[in-house]
């Protein structure tokens, strides 16, 4: 199974800050990497797919990149609605594993 | 609008069975592959099972293989998850999720959306 090691597990930041979340895959996953945002009590919502492509309607302050098997999600200029939990997921091969999540809260 | 609605969750005793359903509306259900994903209390997300758009291809996580069966009825826009041999470890919110991937002139174009989830509690 492909392991997705996500860090940090939690992060405190202020409005307007820039934050970065990282996921490392245990082996190559090509471009089969997505990022999800989950608000408390809600289902996860796709933010970014195929490593760096923004889902329709997602603000441009969200961006993502990759370097080999390391993947990053960056939020530039945090807004109140961005404080949530973020997950990466690989869909290169089954089981389609998720990272353990990063909880982003207000400092 | 695009919608997925899960049902069938509830309280079940260890060793028991349960059938979850998910009905889609507002999109061409038969064009989408489907997944079931679980979120255990206070924990992260665990992918459980996949079924292709026609129903001919299925995959399972080892944790549910041989206990869970995924199926779909495209005529009814519905997806099911038949669960048996349940234990406390199966407690959680079960989400169905629809997906579609295309290649356009501008590159990959993925669709992905989830239902609101249904809670399964396994307890005596």
């Amino acid at each position: 199974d492909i392991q997705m090691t996500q860090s940090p597990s939690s992060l405190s930041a202020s409005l307007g800050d820039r934050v970065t979340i990282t996921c490392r895959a245990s082996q190559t996953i090509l471009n089969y990497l997505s990022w999800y945002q989950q608000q408390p009590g809600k289902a996860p919502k796709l933010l970014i797919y195929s490593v760096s492509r923004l889902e329709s309607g997602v603000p441009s302050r969200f961006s993502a990149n990759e370097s080999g098997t390391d993947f990053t999600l960056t939020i530039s200029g945090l807004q109140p609605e961005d404080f949530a939990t973020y997950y990466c997921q690989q869909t290169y091969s089954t089981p389609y594993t998720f990272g353990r999540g990063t909880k982003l809260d207000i400092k | 609008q695009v919608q997925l609605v899960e049902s069938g969750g509830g309280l079940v005793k260890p060793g028991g069975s349960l059938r979850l359903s998910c009905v889609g509306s507002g999109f061409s259900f038969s064009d989408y592959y489907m997944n079931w994903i679980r979120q255990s209390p206070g924990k992260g997300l665990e992918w459980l099972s996949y079924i292709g758009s026609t129903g001919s291809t299925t995959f399972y996580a080892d944790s549910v293989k041989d206990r869970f069966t995924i199926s779909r009825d495209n005529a009814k826009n519905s997806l099911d998850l038949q669960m048996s041999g349940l234990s406390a470890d199966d407690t959680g919110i079960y989400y169905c999720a629809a997906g579609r991937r295309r290649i356009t002139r501008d590159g990959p174009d993925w669709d992905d959306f989830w239902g609101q989830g249904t809670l399964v509690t396994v307890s005596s």
Side-chain angles (χ1 to χ4, degrees):
Chain A
D1 297 0
I2 297 174
Q3 309 303 317
M4 300 301 294
T5 304
Q6 185 172 345
S7 61
S9 57
S10 65
L11 183 54
S12 292
S14 302
L15 291 173
D17 280 356
R18 180 175 182 263
V19 298
T20 297
I21 299 167
T22 298
C23 262
R24 172 168 289 175
S26 59
Q27 63 186 75
T28 184
I29 58 171
L30 298 181
N31 66 333
Y32 293 92
L33 191 282
S34 303
W35 290 96
Y36 290 87
Q37 177 193 65
Q38 186 177 32
Q39 300 286 1
K42 301 282 190 181
K45 171 191 157 188
L46 181 66
L47 289 180
I48 287 174
Y49 63 90
S50 190
V51 175
S52 59
R53 301 184 77 91
L54 259 64
E55 174 73 338
S56 176
V58 173
S60 59
R61 62 180 179 273
F62 290 89
S63 63
N65 218 325
E66 60 93 14
S67 176
T69 55
D70 290 343
F71 301 86
T72 57
L73 171 69
T74 298
I75 314 171
S76 301
L78 281 169
Q79 298 299 303
E81 59 270 27
D82 300 335
F83 293 94
T85 301
Y86 294 85
Y87 295 92
C88 62
Q89 185 197 23
Q90 66 82 19
T91 51
Y92 176 72
S93 67
T94 58
Y96 296 145
T97 40
F98 290 88
R100 291 194 170 193
T102 297
K103 186 174 182 182
L104 175 59
D105 60 25
I106 299 178
K107 187 184 291 184
Chain B
Q1 75 280 19
V2 165
Q3 195 172 17
L4 290 167
V5 179
E6 300 97 336
S7 61
L11 176 63
V12 60
K13 287 182 167 50
S17 299
L18 207 58
R19 188 176 189 92
L20 305 183
S21 294
C22 167
V23 175
S25 60
F27 66 103
S28 181
F29 186 84
S30 61
D31 287 343
Y32 284 69
Y33 58 81
M34 301 294 295
N35 286 291
W36 284 99
I37 298 105
R38 175 171 70 197
Q39 188 163 34
S40 302
K43 293 187 179 178
L45 301 166
E46 179 185 14
W47 170 84
L48 300 178
S49 186
Y50 162 102
I51 187 166
S53 59
T54 64
S56 60
T57 301
T58 58
F59 298 113
Y60 297 92
D62 284 347
S63 60
V64 303
K65 202 171 188 177
D66 300 326
R67 298 189 301 122
F68 290 12
T69 302
I70 191 171
S71 61
R72 67 188 296 163
D73 184 340
N74 285 343
K76 296 181 179 178
N77 288 355
S78 69
L79 172 75
D80 285 347
L81 186 68
Q82 177 66 48
M83 306 186 295
S84 63
L86 290 165
S87 72
D89 288 343
D90 296 313
T91 293
I93 299 173
Y94 285 69
Y95 295 101
C96 66
R100 180 179 66 173
R101 296 180 181 182
R102 296 175 293 179
I103 300 294
T104 71
R105 280 183 295 181
D106 296 327
D109 179 19
W110 297 5
D111 286 335
D112 177 289
F113 44 93
W114 297 40
Q116 84 291 348
T118 186
L119 177 62
V120 172
T121 303
V122 183
S123 174
S124 55

